[in-house]
Amino acid sequence: MRQSKVAVVTGASRGIGAAVARRLARDGADVIVNYTANEVAAARVVEDIRGMGRRATAVRADVSSVEEIKVLFERAAAAFERVDVLVNNAAVFEACALQDVSRAAFSNIFDLNARSVLFASEEAARLMGNSGRIINISSDLSCMAMPGTSLYAGAKAAIEAFTRVHAAELGPRGITVNAIAPGIIDTDALRTQMTDERIQGVASMTPLGRVGTPEDVADVVAFIASDDSRWITGQVLHVNGGVLMR
Ligand code: NAP
């Protein structure tokens, strides 16, 4: 990545988003570190990035709100004037079987996991010049049939569709749009859903014999954010250690 890129990473205080923010900074980007609740964790990411000699600003914004997405990009423009890379990472996992689905559960998941991607992409594209990278963090679950995941998988499938359509719409401006679909990655979100025993079970399903780390995903995001990925757009890359897909 050349020295002067500006990246906005949603949900960058913890987990995959924090690893992405740090990795993009290591590659020379200035970073807007978005978070919604954990100010201390966001401040730690900002401090690490500044320690690398790059600029960083933490911006609290709940990206499930279209109004707060606007504020996030107003703050990004005020801090760094433009955006070169958007990583739509913030999302929530909530298991919900069909008989338990409520309108509130639908909104909780779709407003954050899908709607935020659309409106953040719109805002970012406005601040991008004649080149840019939009990277949407999806999930292996978008193409699996795991009971209880219809809302989460459906929202992730929606952002994979956004990825293809936005790639077609923004390609003429030199903006690429890709999705990265991680498998099981060891983050706070995973630890609240799975016991150690289940995590080990999934690890044994991968040819590489382990679950992923946030850095495994961040390194692929860095490649897609770089100039080296210039001929890749509208794609969904599965970053899952080769775990068998059902
Ligand atoms: P995580 O550990 O739960 O971290 C979530 C991050 O998103 C935190 O920084 C959190 O901020 C932020 N966030 C949550 N709600 C937000 C909101 N409304 N507005 C802005 N930020 C918000 O999650 P993760 O496991 O790293 O997952 C990151 C992405 O990878 C998600 O898109 C997820 O669907 C995807 N993914 C994860 C896995 C996995 O196994 N972990 C697998 C496949 C896909 P606070 O710190 O302020 O709460």
Side-chain angles (χ1 to χ4, degrees):
M1 182 181 286
R2 69 172 198 276
Q3 283 295 300
S4 58
K5 281 188 182 169
V6 173
V8 174
V9 184
T10 68
S13 46
R14 292 181 289 119
I16 292 169
V20 166
R22 290 187 173 101
R23 173 61 212 256
L24 294 180
R26 208 173 87 204
D27 286 358
D30 297 325
V31 186
I32 295 289
V33 175
N34 163 246
Y35 71 102
T36 188
N38 203 328
E39 193 175 352
V40 172
R44 206 174 304 128
V45 176
V46 165
E47 195 181 308
D48 287 351
I49 292 173
R50 290 182 180 158
M52 295 176 212
R54 304 311 314 170
R55 296 181 297 168
T57 302
V59 179
R60 177 181 218 139
D62 173 355
V63 297
S64 68
S65 150
V66 176
E67 289 68 35
E68 295 199 24
I69 290 172
K70 278 190 180 306
V71 171
L72 169 64
F73 284 91
E74 280 165 13
R75 294 278 310 276
F80 300 136
E81 289 169 13
R82 62 171 208 289
V83 171
D84 302 295
V85 177
L86 166 65
V87 183
N88 280 309
N89 166 77
V92 64
F93 178 86
E94 222 176 282
C96 195
L98 183 59
Q99 67 271 18
D100 301 323
V101 165
S102 62
R103 290 184 199 181
F106 183 90
S107 297
N108 279 348
I109 295 191
F110 268 76
D111 290 359
L112 177 56
N113 296 14
R115 189 175 71 181
S116 74
V117 170
L118 192 93
F119 286 96
S121 299
E122 184 207 8
E123 293 286 339
R126 233 197 291 277
L127 291 171
M128 287 175 176
N130 285 324
S131 66
R133 298 277 186 268
I134 295 175
I135 302 164
N136 299 323
I137 305 300
S138 182
S139 166
D140 263 1
L141 287 174
S142 68
C143 49
M144 294 170 79
M146 190 179 289
T149 65
S150 59
L151 291 180
Y152 181 82
K156 293 298 191 183
I159 72 169
E160 292 181 6
F162 295 166
T163 298
R164 289 183 282 274
V165 176
H166 295 167
E169 291 179 354
L170 298 173
R173 286 183 46 199
I175 297 170
T176 69
V177 186
N178 290 288
I180 289 174
I184 301 256
I185 307 296
D186 199 348
T187 65
D188 294 348
L190 181 73
R191 295 276 163 188
T192 59
Q193 298 293 328
M194 282 194 184
T195 59
D196 270 350
E197 197 181 12
R198 264 195 81 196
I199 291 172
Q200 284 320 309
V202 176
S204 67
M205 287 164 63
T206 71
L208 298 173
R210 64 176 178 85
V211 295
T213 65
E215 290 72 25
D216 289 329
V217 180
D219 288 350
V220 181
V221 172
F223 164 65
I224 295 295
S226 78
D227 295 335
D228 290 346
S229 76
R230 62 194 168 275
W231 197 231
I232 301 174
T233 194
Q235 303 302 309
V236 179
L237 276 79
H238 288 266
V239 179
N240 59 16
V243 71
L244 300 176
M245 312 262 293
R246 287 176 291 139

